[in-house]
Every structure is written in C-alpha cells, then in structure tokens.
Amino acid sequence: MSKKTNNEKLTIFALGGVGEIGKNMYVIQYGNDIVVIDSGLKFPEEDMLGIDIVIPDISYLTENRDKVRAIILTHGHEDHIGGLPYVLKHLNVPVYGTKLTIGLVENKLKEANLLGETKRILINEDSELKLGNTLTATFFRTNHSIPDSVGVCVATPEGNVVHTGDFKFDHTPVNGEFANLQRMAEIGSKGVLALLSDSTNAEKPGFTPSERNVGIVLEDIFRKATQRVVVATFASNVHRIQQVVNAAAATGRKITVIGRSMVNVVGIASDLGYLDIPDGMIIEPEEVNKMAADRVVILSTGSQGEPMSALTRMARSTHRKVDILPGDTVIIAATPVPGNEKYIGRTIDELFRLGANVIYSGSNSGVHVSGHGSQEELKLMLNLMKPKFFIPIHGEHRMQRKHALLGEAVGIAPEDIFMIDIGDTVEIQGGVARKAGKVTSGNVLIDGLGVGDVGNIVLRDRKLLSQDGILVVVVTLSKQDGQIVSGPDIISRGFVYVRESEGLLDEANRIVTSTLQRLMSERVNEWASLKTSVKDSLGRFLYEQTRRRPMILPIIMEV
Amino acid sequence: MSKKTNNEKLTIFALGGVGEIGKNMYVIQYGNDIVVIDSGLKFPEEDMLGIDIVIPDISYLTENRDKVRAIILTHGHEDHIGGLPYVLKHLNVPVYGTKLTIGLVENKLKEANLLGETKRILINEDSELKLGNTLTATFFRTNHSIPDSVGVCVATPEGNVVHTGDFKFDHTPVNGEFANLQRMAEIGSKGVLALLSDSTNAEKPGFTPSERNVGIVLEDIFRKATQRVVVATFASNVHRIQQVVNAAAATGRKITVIGRSMVNVVGIASDLGYLDIPDGMIIEPEEVNKMAADRVVILSTGSQGEPMSALTRMARSTHRKVDILPGDTVIIAATPVPGNEKYIGRTIDELFRLGANVIYSGSNSGVHVSGHGSQEELKLMLNLMKPKFFIPIHGEHRMQRKHALLGEAVGIAPEDIFMIDIGDTVEIQGGVARKAGKVTSGNVLIDGLGVGDVGNIVLRDRKLLSQDGILVVVVTLSKQDGQIVSGPDIISRGFVYVRESEGLLDEANRIVTSTLQRLMSERVNEWASLKTSVKDSLGRFLYEQTRRRPMILPIIMEV
C-alpha cells in the first residue's frame, strides 16, 4: 500500500496524554508526512491557580506545518477534541472524524469563529485515507462512553501503527453498535508493528461491566421513585442519556433537560440520529412544576459537583427554574474524577439536607460504569493486535506502567515495550525500534483570553498570595534630600483582619520607618537596597509575630 | 448510681465531627455537669487558603467553664486529640485517656508548653469516673487503627449515653486485645438511652477486614523483594508498624525509621510497651547504605503524598539520607484521604520513574485495611447496645444519613434517630428526646500563630488573589491643587508576565491617568470616589482585554 522510501524512518510520540489524564495528542511521522491523532485539553492541576484549561505545546507541529497532513479524532470527548480551537488558530489542517465527533467539533468551532476556515471531513469505519505520500489511515469501531468512537490503523512503509482510541469491550452495547472484533483481528493477523493503547483502567482487575447494566438499575429506580427523579451524568455520555430516555418511557415519565452542555449535546446527538427520543417526551423546565411529581425526570449536568453546574445550583436552592423537594430521588450517575471527590461529596450532602434520596456511585449502587476497559479487556486488545512493539498511552505514569506489565504478561518482551513521557520519541527503522531524542513539549496554560502568558513566575506569585496574602508598603521620598515626604503607608489584603490587628500593623509601620531612617542616615539611597531592606526587616518581624510570610511589595515614589 | 435532680435535663451535642471528617468534640451535659468527649483538629478544606489547621469554636465551653468536669479522649488520633493544645489554653480541665493516648497527648503538650499546668489522668477499661454530682463514666475496649482505643458510657440521671469512639470489630487483632463484646452486651442489657456511633464507613457494605490480613501480605512482599523495602503508613498505626516489625524479623531484615512523626510515635509506643521490637532491629538511616539491600526495611511517613514528608522527598530524590534505587519495593500501606488522591498519585508516579516497584492500595494489593467498621459492624454495635435514641456521629452528612438508615434497618424508629449538625442540641427529659436549639459552634481557623484572626474576608481576598493576582496602582497628588505629582505607577503580581505584556500595562496606565484627569476636571476630589473610578475603569479594561479579574488596589498619596 505505502511505498518504502529509503533511509526514512518512522517516528511516534505524544504531545499530550502520557504521564497525565487529558490533552491527548499523538503524532505519527514518516519522512515528510505527519498525522496527528486527537487534540484534547486538560483541566488544570490544583497548583495551576486561576488557570482555566491546559493544552499541549504544539511547537513541533507549527515548525513542521508543511508536513502535517491531518488531525484525526478518535471520539468527541473534551480530552480528545477540546484543544482544537486553539490548535487550529496556529495550524490550519483538515480535521477527520466520525459524524457525532464532527458534530461536536463544529459546535466548538462555531463558538471560536473557526468554522469557515476549517476543513472537516467525515469518516466512517470503512473509510481509507491517503495522507501524504506514505501514510494511509483505516479505522475500527470501538465501545466507549460516547458513540461513534473509533481506533485508527496508520499504515506506514515500516508497518502498521495502531492507536486504539479510548475503548472498552461492551458485549451488549446500548446502541447495538458492537466493537468490531473481526476488523481488529484482521488487522492483527496482517501484522501490527506498534500498538498505542488506552491505559486508563490498567490498575483495575477484571472486565468493565456493560453500559446496559446501568439501564436496568435506572429503570428500577425510576419505577420505585414516588416523586421526581433527577439524573446527573456527563453530557457527552449519549448512551447513558438514551437509557434515561428509555427508563422514562418505560415508567411513563417526561424529561426536562437542564445545564448548558447537556442541552447542547442532547440537541446535537438527536439531530444527528444518535439519540432516539419519543415525540413529546421532552418538556421545558418551566413545565416541571405543573406536572405530577412521579411523571417527571430532570436530566442535568453537575455529576462532578462543579460549582456552577445545574445540579450544584439545585442542591444550593439557587437554580432559577428547578427546586429539589423532599422525597425527590437524585441519581448521580458518574464516579468522581480524581480531585473532585470533595465537591461531589458536598453536593450529595446538600441534596440529603434538602430531603432528597441521593443515589451515588460511592454506595455500590450500579448507576455508573466506566467507559474504559479493565485489565482483561486490555489483554484482549493486546492479543487481538499481537503487536511487535507496544506503547501504553492515555494515562498517568503508574497506569502506563501497569499496562506495560499486562503487555509482558501476554508475552511481549520488556525491551519491546516503550514507556514514554510527552515529547519522548520512539523511532523505528528497518524493524528496529529505539527511544530517540525529545521534541519540544509541555503545558500551555490558558487563563481567560491569555494563551501561554501565565507561566511559573505568575503561578508562584499566585500561590504565595493565596497562602498569606500581600502587604503593600508605599512611601514617598523627596527628590531633593531623599527624606520621607509621605508614608510609609501599609495596605494589606488576605493577611489578617485589619481591625483586629491594628497594633501589629502600627508596629509594622514603625519598623519600616526606622529601617528607612537608618538607611538614609547611612546615605543608602538606591531604591533596590531600600526595597530589599524594607522587605527583610518587615518580613522578619511579621514572621516572628504571626508565623506567616505574606508577599511584601515595597513601592517608593519620588516627588 | 447517679441521683436524679428535679427539672434538670440531659443535653447532647457536637462542637465538631458531624457534617465533617475531623475536629471531633462531643458534649454531654446534665444540669451543672459537662463532660467533653475528644478534642480534635481538622485539616483545612480546599477553600481555606493558607490555613494550617481548623479547631472547633469552644465558646460554649468557655462560657460554662465552671461546669466542665473532664475532657475524655477515646484514642490518640489527631482528629480526636489534635485540638487539645488550643483548647487547654482557654479551658484548664483534667484530661482523661488510656496510656498510649495520654503518652501522645503529653508529647503534644510538651511542644505547646502546657504540660505543667494540665492535669492528665490515666484510665483503663475498668476505670469508673465520678464527674461532678450527676455523671459517671465507664469504658469498653474497641478495635481501631491505633491501640488503646475505648468507647465511653456516661451514666446520667436520665440514663446511659454511649459514645463508641472510632471502632471496627477485628476478630483477630494484632495485639491480641479483643474488642470487649461482653462489656458492650452488658451495657446494652442494662439499657442505653442514647447511642452516639462512628459513621465513617456507613457507606461501605459488609465487614472491614482484619488488620492481620495486612501482615500476611506484607511478609509475602518482604520475602519476594530482592532489594530494599520501603513501607509508608500512618505514623499512628501502631498495629501496622508492629506487623512491619514482625515481617522484617521473619525475613531477616533490619528497619530504619524516617519522618518526624514516625520517629516520635515509634519512640513513644515502644517506651510504653505498645510495640515489641527485637533488640538490634532498628538501625540508623546512615547505616542503610552499608547494608545488603535485601536486609533492609525503611519505615517512613508520607503515605498521603504530603509534600514535605519523607516518602515524597525520597520520590523526588531530595531526601538527605535515603535514595530510592531501581529495584526497590515501595509499599504505600494506606488509602488516600479524600482530597489527597492527586498528591499520592504523583508520588507513586515519581517512585515508578526511579525504577521502584510500587505497591499501593489502588491496585487491590491488600496492603491496607480501614480502621472503621463497615455496615455489618455498625449494625452489630447497634444490636449490642439496643439504644432508645440513636445519634450517628463522626462523618460527613451523607455518612450520618446512611448510618441512620442502618439504624432504621435494625428496628429503631425514624423519630428516635437524630441527624445533627454541629451546635444542634438533643435534649432528653423524662425519657422524651427532642431537637432543641443551637449552641454557638463553628470553625476556628489557625494560620501560623493566629487563632481565629483569619475569617471570610481574608479568605475571599486570598481566593481572589490566587485566581488572577493583583494590580497595585499608586498615584501621588498635590495637597495644594489636587494635581498628579507622581505616577500613576502600576505594579502587578500573579497577573501576567510583565515583560510580555508591556503594551497592556502601558495602556492600563493611560486609562488610569485619563480617568483621574477627567475626575479632576469635574472637581471630584474625594479619595473614595477616585479609587472606585480607577478600580471600575481599569477593571473593565483588563476584563475586556484578558477576561481576567485581578484584584485592583488603588493607593493615593498626598504631598
């Protein structure tokens, strides 16, 4: 299929998605042809204060823009498509994806005013894409917590590189779309040079249960509930939403949809035929209060306890349209993403306090299953593909490591398994693979409209400010004789209650004054020295008195 | 035992420990006699920026100081004894506890210079304490993740109030100290008016496994490890430490102890006879490198990934004495406390990167069991005690709620179960219980040496500062004519990289200048108006340009 070019080599690396959960972006390059798989975002780590989202550093791609043939999307989750609006601003490349994925992408590009200039190409499982002179991409259907997910096989002159996308094996899929085991087996029997496979659940033994199990539990809860039922889940989990619809239909309830992303996804997925909703089933939130309580389902965002989400606002009784009433049943059909445990716990507590019966995954309730395959499924994928080389991707380092052990367990030699961090390249030439150098990679932090203008110094300052606040010390000196004309004035924020700490701040003022007077008598008049001395003497005093280290910002004015 | 005083009533409430995990403090009052059970601290929530620890508001106790007869401690965990140094400063009351508990308390009081003035009284399971005129306390041994844990039975003229402390039922306890089922059954058969019971694991079905199971797993890992073994666990888990000692002895390894709290607890527990360590087993950290790798165990703090802990420093290769070498086995014998998942995950990743084999609880490894009883054990306690009234304590609201359902399941009437928040009082008189008013309660935040001097305004400022930083705008005006003499100068911290945003800050400067000039031409010269206008115009400009809302601090000097 692909012609072999002499002396060229195959290079595989990740710009995001390894050593982390999020901002997935993988690169396959052969000579002058580059294919990018996925373009995701990551939500900020807890030490990235004030940051909204994180995307990969794509310097390598912009420096090689002439070679980039395609961005192929495996599915429509934010950690796979959320970085596109930022990436496409710097790299106008055709974007390939299945119908639902492209539908979700178009919604994003519209908001970013990039729809017109971006070439979008629909693919399906049977598509074959010629990409540049040397690469050909084909696809295989997988099961995941969003419909229309695919894995990618990129044929290169060195051999086939398979990227699984996110997957599980669901033998009773909600939409009847089975993972294409036959296609995977066929790819495997033709020969796979390198497999890049999803490590998310590599720590979990056994099999991940079928999404259909959740439907059975939901219908049972709907049937027993004597009042309204609220279901919060990820907006993108179209299968789950379909099962909520089915359970509502089976129990004679109508559904109202609240939360911006839920309204969006339900709209797009229905329009594109991925959701089958009976006519008249969806009602407006305003109609809820007019209906009998046992005829209503409220489908909502907020399954992670996000502070601004619909469920959180209902829990705090601050939602404009829907209140939680005593006796309502609230189903939180999701597990907390690490870091969100406290938020979701607080939401559950608040719902209980309102008198709701809350059903959540912590209590073994069966209202959620993962979209990622567990250890037995990961081994099944490895055995279907029988790769020569194996690169665990999509996970924190420990998950990649566990996945590597599964690779060894099914018989791949340890030296043929490559543990990579972002930027680490694996080069394959003449059937020999080795870890080569690093390409530029990293986190680009997005804060408001700023892309990459917040870095370590700004974050360090935010961290300092968040711990003990700031004291601003202002003093005006005379140009003539360098004497104090006005001040020192000390203003604090985030340090102590000023009213209760007047004595402390008065004393601080005296210390600054005497420090300045001493320096002047010693004829020190460089501002840098004055500022350093004020910082040191005041910092020492405050630490002794309070054991705190606020940021101290001395400002000297001259008149 | 206790004489009935007419017209008096029994009041039960919590100053901490309900609606939260941490700062346990329960109050039982009959007439002029108050008994306090436990005096814990809580670690700050994620929105309590810069706060070190949190203790209960004890206004009720200081206002009724003459009535407080005792602080009884159920066991030596921080969430039960950690608030003592702060409480005892305001309330000099005798402290009662078992030998290990008092040993740990004395260590704390020494550091706080409170040892001399605090009366400490050792109790054991057979102690009987007359407290004031009306109350008598007796005890029963429980199993928990620290030895010498007890439950308390307070006899009052209204009847017996039982507080379980933290407990599980471990039928094969490591130290051979069984929970005293007979004593509990006896209390139950004499009649329990009200039961206050531990709700921590009320969401978990089944039984919590025996601590002894961990010992078997540890010995197996020690035996298979070909190099050094590092075990990180909670310092206070003396049973776990004993099992590390046993496994080391069985496999011919010596132990070195690192991390301040681990060294402390091992010292105290050995001195008091709670740890049985063979002579010559403990070696200094300096000796580790001289020994064969398969003869060494390193017992360490840091099982929660705490940034300054010994394990975290080893993982980052910044520990002064001990390095992790490729092939070492690291056992993290703990589950993450909610909120710590990311920290511990990062530590695990770093250890893997150093080439260690990391065994942690996420991977079903059997290296940790909980110290709190699961649903079947909670029901067993309820059935042993057969209380008339039931108050679920020690847990988040949702855990108390699940515990209440367990109470209903064993036959307690819903109206006899009391869901309380901190400060909510339950009054019992003539055998009738009702929810009465609230007493003063809340969080006292400790930041450095400051106790309670950081409140909502300071925390709100810290939050604001942490999100988008601060801009300080300084301008000097003339006293004579109100004209600008110097400035405006704008200094930012935690907002943007100044070097890359010169244009933005220059423009900000022009906006401040023109705002001031406009106001002066309109003869506005109140400082408050000037400041508000500068804040508004600059804030609007910055939000338009950056979509960020830094704190803006205008400072006007006059010369």
Side-chain angles (χ1 to χ4, degrees), chain A residues 239-253:
Chain A
H239 304 308
R240 187 74 46 85
I241 295 170
Q242 182 66 57
Q243 299 204 104
V244 171
V245 170
N246 297 351
T251 57
R253 291 174 182 259

Side-chain angles (χ1 to χ4, degrees), chain A residues 19 44-47 49-51 203 205 338-339 341-343 345-346 348-349 352-353 355 358 360 362-364 396-399 401-402 421 447-458 461-462 465-470 472 474-476 485-487 489 491-497 500-501 535 543-548 551 553 555-559, chain B residues 19 44-47 49-51 203 205 338-339 341-343 345-346 348-349 352-353 355 358 360 362-364 396-399 401-402 421 447-458 461-462 465-470 472 474-476 485-487 489 491-497 500-501 535 543-548 551 553 555-559:
Chain A
E45 307 282 332
E46 68 288 351
D47 55 354
L49 293 170
I51 298 302
E203 294 167 292
E341 293 83 356
K342 289 222 151 190
Y343 294 108
R346 212 165 293 161
I348 294 168
D349 289 340
F352 270 126
R353 285 177 203 276
V358 192
Y360 53 101
S363 48
N364 277 23
E396 303 279 0
H397 187 82
R398 60 192 176 278
M399 302 164 190
R401 183 75 59 162
K402 292 279 175 192
D421 277 320
D447 181 3
L449 297 180
V451 177
D453 67 340
V454 170
N456 287 337
I457 297 173
V458 173
D461 282 350
R462 287 182 185 175
L465 289 166
S466 77
Q467 291 303 299
D468 289 322
I470 187 169
V472 182
V474 201
V475 63
T476 310
V485 182
S486 170
D489 284 0
I491 301 104
S492 82
R493 286 291 183 276
F495 173 54
V496 286
Y497 268 133
E500 290 169 18
S501 310
K535 261 191 191 175
Y543 184 72
E544 275 164 16
Q545 295 292 312
T546 66
R547 287 290 181 278
R548 300 181 201 168
M551 183 183 282
L553 192 62
I555 300 175
I556 299 176
M557 309 279 287
E558 215 178 32
V559 293
Chain B
E45 308 282 331
E46 68 286 353
D47 54 355
L49 294 169
I51 298 302
E203 294 168 293
E341 292 84 355
K342 290 222 150 186
Y343 293 106
R346 212 167 292 160
I348 294 168
D349 289 341
F352 269 126
R353 286 177 202 278
V358 192
Y360 53 101
S363 48
N364 276 23
E396 304 278 0
H397 187 81
R398 59 191 177 279
M399 302 162 190
R401 183 75 60 163
K402 292 279 175 192
D421 277 321
D447 182 4
L449 296 181
V451 177
D453 67 340
V454 170
N456 288 336
I457 297 173
V458 173
D461 282 349
R462 288 182 184 174
L465 290 165
S466 76
Q467 291 303 298
D468 289 321
I470 186 169
V472 181
V474 199
V475 63
T476 310
V485 182
S486 168
D489 286 358
I491 302 105
S492 82
R493 286 291 184 278
F495 173 54
V496 288
Y497 267 135
E500 290 168 19
S501 310
K535 263 192 190 174
Y543 185 72
E544 276 165 15
Q545 296 291 314
T546 66
R547 288 287 180 280
R548 300 181 202 169
M551 183 183 284
L553 192 61
I555 300 176
I556 299 176
M557 308 280 285
E558 215 177 32
V559 292

Side-chain angles (χ1 to χ4, degrees), chain B residues 331-377:
Chain B
I331 303 169
I332 299 176
T335 40
V337 170
N340 290 348
E341 292 84 355
K342 290 222 150 186
Y343 293 106
I344 186 66
R346 212 167 292 160
T347 299
I348 294 168
D349 289 341
E350 283 159 351
L351 291 165
F352 269 126
R353 286 177 202 278
L354 292 174
N357 173 29
V358 192
I359 299 167
Y360 53 101
S361 66
S363 48
N364 276 23
S365 51
V367 292
H368 179 70
V369 297
S370 173
H372 298 271
S374 302
Q375 290 178 353
E376 295 308 312
E377 289 153 281

Side-chain angles (χ1 to χ4, degrees), chain B residues 198-380:
Chain B
D198 172 9
S199 309
T200 311
N201 275 350
E203 294 168 293
K204 303 239 165 74
F207 273 93
T208 301
S210 171
E211 174 67 28
R212 197 175 287 266
N213 295 14
V214 175
I216 297 164
V217 174
L218 288 178
E219 187 175 323
D220 189 48
I221 296 171
F222 280 31
R223 207 174 291 284
K224 286 180 186 151
T226 55
Q227 298 193 43
R228 300 181 313 177
V229 177
V230 179
V231 184
T233 193
F234 285 111
S236 59
N237 197 332
V238 175
H239 303 308
R240 187 74 47 84
I241 295 170
Q242 182 66 56
Q243 299 204 102
V244 171
V245 169
N246 297 351
T251 57
R253 292 174 182 260
K254 305 257 183 202
I255 298 179
T256 194
V257 182
I258 59 174
R260 198 173 77 102
S261 61
M262 190 64 84
V263 171
N264 261 345
V265 171
V266 169
I268 294 170
S270 309
D271 290 349
L272 297 179
Y274 290 89
L275 264 179
D276 181 15
I277 305 179
D279 285 344
M281 159 137 301
I282 302 288
I283 59 173
E284 292 300 318
E286 290 78 3
E287 296 177 66
V288 166
N289 292 331
K290 299 175 203 150
M291 310 238 340
D294 64 348
R295 301 289 91 189
V296 175
V297 172
I298 297 159
L299 179 63
S300 169
T301 53
S303 64
Q304 295 297 309
E306 305 93 323
M308 300 305 293
S309 69
L311 183 66
T312 304
R313 282 183 282 139
M314 286 190 278
R316 293 187 185 154
S317 306
T318 59
H319 194 275
R320 281 182 307 122
K321 293 177 181 166
V322 183
D323 287 324
I324 299 290
L325 302 177
D328 285 351
T329 299
V330 180
I331 303 169
I332 299 176
T335 40
V337 170
N340 290 348
E341 292 84 355
K342 290 222 150 186
Y343 293 106
I344 186 66
R346 212 167 292 160
T347 299
I348 294 168
D349 289 341
E350 283 159 351
L351 291 165
F352 269 126
R353 286 177 202 278
L354 292 174
N357 173 29
V358 192
I359 299 167
Y360 53 101
S361 66
S363 48
N364 276 23
S365 51
V367 292
H368 179 70
V369 297
S370 173
H372 298 271
S374 302
Q375 290 178 353
E376 295 308 312
E377 289 153 281
L378 301 183
K379 287 188 260 180
L380 175 55

Side-chain angles (χ1 to χ4, degrees), chain A residues 318-380:
Chain A
T318 59
H319 195 276
R320 282 181 306 120
K321 294 177 181 165
V322 184
D323 286 325
I324 300 290
L325 302 177
D328 286 350
T329 299
V330 180
I331 302 169
I332 298 176
T335 41
V337 170
N340 290 348
E341 293 83 356
K342 289 222 151 190
Y343 294 108
I344 187 65
R346 212 165 293 161
T347 299
I348 294 168
D349 289 340
E350 283 159 352
L351 290 165
F352 270 126
R353 285 177 203 276
L354 293 174
N357 174 28
V358 192
I359 300 168
Y360 53 101
S361 67
S363 48
N364 277 23
S365 51
V367 293
H368 179 70
V369 298
S370 172
H372 299 270
S374 302
Q375 290 178 352
E376 295 308 313
E377 289 153 280
L378 301 182
K379 287 188 261 180
L380 175 56

